[in-house]
Amino acid sequence: DDFHSAESRAHMASGKPLTDDMRKPWISAICQELKEHAEDNRPAILAFSGLKKFHREPLRHCGLNVIFLHLTGERETLAQRMLARNDHFMPPSLLDSQLETLEIPADEEDVFSLAIEEPLEDLLIQAEKLVNEHGNS
């Protein structure tokens, strides 16, 4: 969220989804941050709503070995979690547009899916295992 411009945050807060063109500066800012981590030989963990392969692809070329953990869940679970957030700029009303935009990662060898209905502790163990197995090279 920190990489979104104030304009993009306001756009989402008003209940309007971002376009691909509006996402480009956000993705560029994330890439710049990842490049700085790579230059300093520092690992990074990033929460990123890369809904399309087009959004994920630039991150693959930022100098770090990148893997994606694709969190999956039922719409109702996602909606409940969004409603439980406090003071977030993206309203739950944008969930459906996010789900409509989502391209389920297929044939992307660096994308691993995790079901959010799993207990948090189990998710963390699975995520750590995937990062250790695939994220270190």
Side-chain angles (χ1 to χ4, degrees):
D1 290 346
D2 294 342
F3 296 97
H4 281 296
S5 67
E7 180 181 56
S8 289
R9 288 183 202 197
H11 188 83
M12 287 183 280
S14 73
K16 299 175 202 161
L18 297 179
T19 65
D20 283 340
D21 282 341
M22 295 172 81
R23 287 177 177 270
K24 286 179 183 177
W26 171 66
I27 294 168
S28 293
I30 291 170
C31 282
Q32 183 58 42
E33 181 73 17
L34 292 177
K35 287 176 183 176
E36 290 173 15
H37 278 260
E39 288 169 6
D40 296 339
N41 200 28
R42 294 180 291 142
I45 295 176
L46 169 74
F48 167 71
S49 60
L51 300 173
K52 298 179 179 182
K53 184 176 182 178
F54 166 79
H55 302 146
R56 295 183 291 273
E57 193 61 33
L59 277 64
R60 293 181 167 107
H61 306 285
C62 292
L64 291 174
N65 179 36
V66 176
I67 67 166
F68 297 90
L69 302 180
H70 174 231
L71 302 178
T72 65
E74 296 296 321
R75 186 208 176 281
E76 294 75 27
T77 303
L78 297 168
Q80 288 173 358
R81 292 189 182 180
M82 289 179 79
L83 287 168
R85 297 190 300 194
N86 292 321
D87 299 325
H88 196 275
F89 60 85
M90 189 178 132
S93 62
L94 288 179
L95 175 59
D96 289 331
S97 71
Q98 294 265 296
L99 292 173
E100 289 168 11
T101 302
L102 177 64
E103 293 176 0
I104 302 298
D107 301 323
E108 294 180 63
E109 294 181 8
D110 56 358
V111 179
F112 304 91
S113 295
L114 298 172
I116 64 169
E117 286 82 8
E118 296 285 329
L120 180 58
E121 185 173 307
D122 292 348
L123 272 176
L124 292 172
I125 290 168
Q126 291 173 44
E128 183 178 25
K129 181 179 178 187
L130 287 166
V131 168
N132 288 334
E133 288 177 1
H134 302 281
N136 297 323
S137 55

